[in-house]
Amino acid sequence: EDQVTQSPEALRLQEGESSSLNCSYTVSGLRGLFWYRQDPGKGPEFLFTLYSAGEEKEKERLKATLTKKESFLHITAPKPEDSATYLCAVLPYGGATNKLIFGTGTLLAVQP
Amino acid sequence: NAGVTQTPKFRILKIGQSMTLQCAQDMNHNYMYWYRQDPGMGLKLIYYSVGAGITDKGEVPNGYNVSRSTTEDFPLRLELAAPSQTSVYFCASSYSFAGQGSSYEQYFGPGTRLTVT
């Protein structure tokens, strides 16, 4: 069964304290892995797509990496405005429905 | 572009009432989706559509219906509301076609918070 597991469930950082969020996945074949940011009361906001092991994408203080079994979202010198829930999703190969499988997210709190 | 828009933002229903959640996108995306998000449970797919006139069930379709008469609109109908349908509902869209250029990422609306009492 295709599955996505995110860890930790919650993470509290001091401003400037770098860390990483993990997304482990089990799929028969990976078409793509997606990272989203979700602020309270808002819809998920698309951040990155990764397609193959070894690929990296960066945006400001965020860098996403991908291996054959997991993805990491590295946050360098975070600021309080980086506080949000970060969601990971995978798109398995097979079918034409483009149905994403989501993890339950990591709630990140960055304190000043 | 407004992206994906949803109305209403909030709604309280009594048990047994019906309502339609509206979703529209102006990005000319062919795929559209409805999800529900419950605390600690992640996003669950209710229904999806690969184009106008074509819809199919997701993981949790019971108690819901959809239609897609145009590329832009994808309303979700709740019949005979139940407390178990209390949730936050998100509509999303993406663009995909056979061949190069498909990106697969989904773009989400702001959500509708529904309470059934």
Side-chain angles (χ1 to χ4, degrees), chain B residues 38-60:
Chain B
D38 301 300
M41 298 296 291
L43 286 156
K44 300 295 184 186
L45 184 65
I46 305 171
Y47 271 95
Y48 66 95
S49 168
V50 302
I54 306 170
T55 62
D56 206 348
K57 297 176 181 178
E59 286 180 85
V60 290

Side-chain angles (χ1 to χ4, degrees), chain A residues 31 34 36 38 41-44 46 49 51 87 91 96-100 102-104, chain B residues 31 33 35 37 40-43 45 48 50 90 96 103-110:
Chain A
R31 194 187 300 187
F34 307 84
Y36 287 85
Q38 186 173 21
K42 303 282 183 65
F46 170 70
T49 307
Y51 291 105
L87 301 173
L91 177 63
T97 58
N98 293 356
K99 289 190 284 187
L100 298 184
F102 281 87
T104 54
Chain B
Y31 284 69
Y33 313 82
Y35 293 90
Q37 187 176 42
M41 298 296 291
L43 286 156
L45 184 65
Y48 66 95
V50 302
F90 290 103
S96 179
S103 55
Y104 305 113
E105 63 262 17
Q106 295 179 15
Y107 294 89
F108 285 79

Side-chain angles (χ1 to χ4, degrees), chain B residues 4 23 31-35 74 90-94 106-109:
Chain B
V4 179
C23 173
Y31 284 69
M32 295 187 75
Y33 313 82
W34 274 105
Y35 293 90
F74 191 39
F90 290 103
C91 179
S93 70
S94 67
Q106 295 179 15
Y107 294 89
F108 285 79

Side-chain angles (χ1 to χ4, degrees), chain B residues 6-24:
Chain B
Q6 292 183 239
T7 55
K9 289 190 188 312
F10 304 94
R11 183 73 185 267
I12 299 174
L13 282 183
K14 294 189 185 303
I15 294 171
Q17 287 185 321
S18 300
M19 75 165 294
T20 299
L21 282 66
Q22 301 292 343
C23 173

